[in-house]
């Protein structure tokens, strides 16, 4: 019998824990690869609690339970999760370890699935529980799965080859890079668990996870340049098998754990951020020497080659035309009323689909009207959907997956009639000034993203305001829209990537924002490419950014008097380039109105 209510599901889980001699259990949003986005089979937290965000966890004890989310989901968790069943906890102020230490009993056995957590997480929770005489217990099978009667099966979609014409480098060359690293470190092999790293290394893509073109698998790469791919055999077509060649052995995914047990005496690297606790434990139990080391595919994947760079420019031009068609449609339709957040998101997707080259969205579109725009990671659904009201601010953050590139763009626009308030224009212009400061930044080699972050915030700080998210994240090449290791964000606070030196070839987003709770939100986002800067007389190597995204920015939201002559020049140069890239794509039947809108939007300030 299906358990229809979240209360019934929670009760069933507690009964299952009793059967197993457990006093509690931790339920994360995670999969066996520590992915940001997970397949439907791994959406245990959503099934148990109703929470639909991408980051969070629940702790279930026999007589109480708690939900842990960060500031992005403060409102959403209260809308989706029953406060009579779960206490609301906000990280980093609240932590799972501290909550368990305060609420679990001495002698309690708290279960966790070692395939869904890192070794570092497990050690931290174990230490917290030890202080009260309780223990963290690894389970052999996830108890949520035992009570989730209609749990979806993992995707059986077939893998596809990502051609060298898009990848710019063969899989054999990439495996040789990894093999060279293994030899230099004196290692026998490396376990690669991150799905996007596997896709990059083998030049394959999949459709097992919405919004990210990856296939559920593991790789064990060896120092001789060979590799073992652990994947459901039915996912491999003859074409993919030929592409992988004799140097890549294809083995069933369910043999992965057993293969780890045969590595006695071998020195094996595992990335502690993407390799789950079970991988470390299995290798150690087998007598392997486990070396915690960063995924060797991470940095070469982040530094895009010339083919990937040009492919991204092509994808951005195509995507920019689609987004501009949407913004033109919105400018004509929304002021009359009748457009909702959901209908706008659907219309935007339809324009991308008209390119004939869209493979998927790169993430769920943030289509946010009025007060919803003040929630940086708002995700519209049937329950939250509201009209886009005339005379208000509308924010749309969206992206597409194309074979030649992954896009991500945010535009904030004024929905007429009338004019934005002086406050809205002031805040938007300060965000724009920060965006321009990043776009025009010049910096020496070995500069980290954290050193640039204040460039974007300075004008907001001058007005006594700020924003609570990072300024920029890495972006993949027909891969994950959020890709490390590089990042532009405040340092500290456990922010991964903020100390990573920026290198030529890295893609990043440039997305400062401002959010006034309950009223409006603003974000301006383009993608940029780190490139060398030639400076006469420069002492050393310097870098800057090439802007990659070309879509008009709403001039009605700008207080021109706050801009310097240099910033106005940037605006004019940027929009001249927007017109140059977009107008040749807008010569088809029915494009006349869009052309006029682009031309008007790109006039100099």
């Amino acid at each position: 019998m299906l358990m229809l209510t979240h209360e019934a599901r929670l009760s069933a889980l507690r009964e299952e824990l009793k059967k197993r001699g457990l006093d509690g259990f931790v339920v994360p949003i995670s999969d066996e690869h520590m992915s940001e986005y997970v397949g439907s089979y791994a959406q245990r937290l959503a099934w148990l609690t109703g929470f639909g965000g991408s980051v969070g966890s629940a702790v279930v004890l026999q007589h109480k339970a708690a939900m842990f989310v960060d500031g992005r989901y403060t409102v959403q968790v209260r809308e989706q999760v029953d406060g009579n069943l779960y206490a609301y906890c906000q990280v980093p102020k609240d932590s799972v370890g501290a909550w368990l230490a305060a609420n679990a009993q001495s002698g309690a056995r708290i279960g966790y699935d070692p395939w869904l957590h890192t070794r570092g997480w497990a050690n931290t929770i174990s230490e917290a529980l030890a202080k009260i005489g309780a223990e963290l217990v690894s389970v052999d099978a996830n108890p949520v799965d035992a009570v989730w009667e209609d749990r979806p099966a993992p995707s059986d979609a077939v893998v596809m080859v990502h051609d060298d014409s898009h990848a710019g480098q063969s899989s054999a060359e990439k495996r040789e890079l990894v093999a060279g690293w293994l030899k230099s470190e004196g290692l026998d092999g490396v376990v690669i668990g991150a799905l996007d790293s596997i896709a990059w290394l083998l030049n394959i893509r999949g459709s097992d996870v919405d919004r990210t073109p990856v296939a559920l698998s593991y790789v064990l790469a060896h120092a001789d340049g060979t590799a073992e791919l652990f994947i459901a055999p039915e996912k491999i077509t003859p074409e993919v098998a030929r592409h992988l060649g004799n140097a890549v052995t294809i083995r069933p995914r369910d043999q992965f754990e057993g293969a780890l047990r045969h590595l006695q005496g071998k020195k094996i690297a595992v990335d502690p951020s993407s390799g789950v606790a079970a991988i470390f434990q299995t290798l150690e139990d087998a007598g392997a020497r486990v070396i915690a080391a960063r995924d060797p595919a991470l940095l070469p994947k982040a530094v895009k080659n010339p083919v990937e760079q040009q492919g991204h420019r092509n994808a951005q031009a195509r995507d920019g035309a689609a987004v501009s068609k949407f913004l033109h449609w919105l400018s004509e339709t929304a002021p009359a009323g009748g457009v909702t957040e959901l209908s706008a998101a659907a219309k935007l997707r339809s324009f991308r689909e008209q390119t004939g080259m869209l493979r998927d969205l790169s993430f769920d579109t943030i289509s946010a009207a009025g007060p919803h725009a003040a929630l940086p990671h708002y995700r519209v659904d049937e329950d939250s959907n509201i009209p886009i009201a005339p005379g208000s601010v509308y924010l749309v953050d969206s992206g597409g997956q194309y074979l030649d590139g992954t896009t991500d763009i945010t535009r904030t626009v004024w929905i007429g009639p009338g004019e934005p308030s002086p406050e809205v224009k002031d805040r938007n212009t300060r965000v724009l000034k920060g965006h321009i400061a990043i776009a025009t930044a010049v910096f020496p080699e070995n500069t980290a993203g954290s050193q640039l972050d204040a460039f974007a915030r300075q004008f907001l700080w001058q007005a006594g305001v700020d924003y609570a998210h990072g300024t920029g994240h890495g972006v993949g090449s027909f891969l994950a829209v959020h890709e490390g290791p590089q990042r532009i964000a405040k340092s500290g606070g456990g922010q991964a990537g903020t100390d990573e030196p920026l290198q030529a070839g890295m893609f990043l987003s440039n997305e400062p924002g401002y959010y006034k709770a309950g009223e409006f939100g603003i974000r301006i986002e383009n993608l940029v490419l780190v490139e060398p800067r030639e400076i006469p007389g420069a002492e050393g190597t310097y870098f800057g950014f090439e802007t990659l995204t070309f879509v008009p920015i709403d001039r009605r939201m700008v207080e021109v008097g706050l801009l310097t002559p240099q910033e106005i020049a940037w605006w004019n140069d940027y929009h001249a380039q927007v017109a140059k890239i977009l107008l040749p794509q807008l010569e088809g039947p029915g494009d006349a109105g869009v052309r006029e809108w682009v031309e008007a939007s790109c006039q100099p300030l």
Side-chain angles (χ1 to χ4, degrees):
M1 184 178 83
L2 298 182
M3 297 166 189
L4 300 179
T5 69
H6 293 113
E7 184 176 8
R9 295 171 183 180
L10 180 60
S11 177
L13 177 58
R14 284 173 167 151
E15 287 301 312
E16 182 66 22
L17 296 179
K18 284 182 185 177
K19 292 177 187 176
R20 301 188 185 201
L22 295 172
D23 301 291
F25 190 70
V26 182
V27 184
I29 299 174
S30 184
D31 65 7
E32 304 89 338
H33 312 275
M34 300 308 297
S35 307
E36 179 182 14
Y37 300 114
V38 302
S40 58
Y41 80 97
Q43 292 281 359
R44 297 176 179 88
L45 187 65
W47 177 84
L48 180 67
T49 70
F51 178 63
S54 62
V55 179
S57 60
V59 181
V60 175
L61 302 179
Q62 284 299 333
H63 301 293
K64 60 180 66 175
M67 274 291 304
F68 293 81
V69 299
D70 61 29
R72 296 173 292 177
Y73 297 111
T74 302
V75 175
Q76 183 175 334
V77 72
R78 285 164 172 77
E79 292 176 345
Q80 296 178 331
V81 178
D82 189 344
N84 294 315
L85 302 178
Y86 298 88
Y88 303 124
C89 299
Q90 185 165 320
V91 295
K93 179 176 67 71
D94 305 311
S95 71
V96 169
W99 189 88
L100 279 169
N103 290 279
Q105 300 296 313
S106 177
R109 302 177 74 246
I110 307 300
Y112 83 105
D113 186 336
W115 289 96
L116 302 180
H117 298 273
T118 65
R119 166 67 66 88
W121 179 92
N123 289 342
T124 298
I125 304 303
S126 292
E127 291 170 4
L129 288 171
K131 294 177 181 177
I132 62 165
E135 65 174 323
L136 186 67
V137 179
S138 171
V139 300
D140 294 328
N142 196 302
V144 175
D145 297 350
V147 297
W148 185 358
E149 295 184 7
D150 57 346
R151 179 181 171 227
S155 165
D156 59 1
V158 297
V159 172
M160 70 177 201
V161 174
H162 189 57
D163 196 79
D164 289 1
S165 63
H166 294 305
Q169 189 179 23
S170 71
S171 174
E173 291 173 304
K174 294 175 179 180
R175 295 196 309 275
E176 280 304 315
L177 280 177
V178 172
W181 174 79
L182 289 169
K183 292 171 186 172
S184 70
E185 298 293 323
L187 300 170
D188 296 298
V190 56
V191 172
I192 299 181
L195 297 180
D196 61 334
S197 288
I198 294 168
W200 176 86
L201 179 67
L202 299 182
N203 283 350
I204 58 174
R205 298 294 187 267
S207 53
D208 290 347
V209 178
D210 288 346
R211 313 312 186 213
T212 309
V214 293
L216 295 170
S217 55
Y218 292 97
V219 158
L220 179 58
H222 302 285
D224 63 359
T226 64
E228 297 171 74
L229 171 64
F230 296 86
I231 190 168
E234 61 271 18
K235 301 172 76 65
I236 300 297
T237 66
E239 179 193 10
V240 172
R242 286 193 299 271
H243 161 73
L244 293 173
N246 295 332
V248 179
T249 304
I250 301 167
R251 302 180 60 180
R253 187 167 183 251
D254 58 13
Q255 291 184 9
F256 173 64
E257 188 174 1
L260 297 181
R261 295 196 183 103
H262 287 89
L263 294 173
Q264 180 180 3
K266 301 291 187 181
K267 291 179 67 177
I268 304 297
V270 184
D271 189 326
S273 64
S274 58
V276 294
I279 292 175
F280 281 87
Q281 193 62 54
T282 303
L283 286 168
E284 289 169 356
D285 290 347
R289 183 177 171 189
V290 186
I291 308 299
R294 188 160 81 171
D295 177 348
L298 197 66
L299 190 57
K301 171 164 55 73
V303 178
K304 307 300 187 291
N305 61 53
V307 171
E308 291 172 315
Q309 293 175 27
Q310 187 54 48
H312 190 88
R313 293 184 189 99
N314 297 340
Q316 287 284 4
R318 180 187 318 123
D319 196 68
V323 174
S324 295
K325 289 179 179 180
F326 165 73
L327 292 176
H328 165 253
W329 170 85
L330 189 74
S331 71
E332 289 197 329
T333 309
V339 179
T340 69
E341 293 171 330
L342 275 178
S343 68
K347 190 69 174 180
L348 175 53
R349 177 164 188 153
S350 74
F351 282 119
R352 284 192 165 107
E353 288 173 338
Q354 287 172 22
T355 67
M357 299 182 72
L358 183 73
R359 306 305 293 248
D360 194 0
L361 302 181
S362 58
F363 56 98
D364 290 333
T365 297
I366 299 173
S367 176
H372 284 167
L375 307 173
H377 294 265
Y378 170 73
R379 188 174 71 175
V380 61
D381 57 26
E382 292 288 352
D383 294 329
S384 68
N385 184 37
I386 62 172
I388 300 174
S392 69
V393 171
Y394 171 68
L395 184 154
V396 58
D397 185 349
S398 68
Q401 291 283 13
Y402 305 91
L403 288 177
D404 48 3
T406 299
T407 68
D408 182 2
I409 174 176
T410 308
R411 287 295 181 265
T412 308
V413 299
W414 176 254
I415 305 298
E419 294 291 325
S421 70
E423 180 187 27
V424 167
K425 292 179 72 171
D426 176 90
R427 298 300 190 247
N428 182 81
T429 307
R430 292 178 186 277
V431 169
L432 173 63
K433 287 168 73 72
H435 180 95
I436 295 171
I438 293 292
T440 57
V442 177
F443 48 93
E445 189 176 22
N446 293 319
T447 297
S450 58
Q451 294 172 275
L452 300 182
D453 186 69
F455 288 26
R457 300 178 189 271
Q458 58 182 312
F459 307 103
L460 291 162
W461 287 349
Q462 290 166 6
V465 294
D466 198 2
Y467 52 96
H469 57 74
T471 299
H473 58 80
V475 179
S477 180
F478 187 42
L479 270 179
V481 73
H482 296 148
E483 180 182 271
Q486 72 277 20
R487 197 160 183 263
I488 301 175
K490 294 178 181 178
S491 61
Q495 301 271 22
T498 54
D499 294 328
E500 184 71 30
L502 301 184
Q503 296 188 35
M506 287 179 166
F507 294 154
L508 289 140
S509 65
N510 172 10
E511 52 179 312
Y514 170 76
Y515 310 93
K516 186 172 185 180
E519 295 193 31
F520 65 89
I522 292 161
R523 189 160 62 250
I524 301 172
E525 177 186 16
N526 289 339
L527 299 189
V528 296
L529 168 68
V530 182
E531 62 176 2
R533 276 284 184 271
E534 296 297 330
I535 302 174
E539 298 177 356
T541 300
Y542 278 74
F543 298 121
F545 293 117
E546 174 192 343
T547 294
L548 299 166
T549 306
F550 291 98
V551 171
I553 301 169
D554 192 345
R555 61 202 296 118
R556 295 167 299 175
M557 301 270 287
V558 177
E559 182 57 65
V560 179
L562 290 178
L563 299 178
T564 67
Q566 292 80 10
E567 289 165 342
I568 291 173
W570 179 91
W571 173 285
N572 292 339
D573 290 345
Y574 174 76
H575 284 89
Q577 187 71 358
V578 170
K580 180 180 178 182
I581 289 172
L582 296 187
L583 291 177
Q585 302 182 71
L586 301 172
E587 296 179 343
D591 285 343
V594 186
R595 283 184 63 88
E596 291 176 4
W597 179 84
V598 170
E599 288 170 346
S601 299
C602 292
Q603 290 299 307
L605 281 179

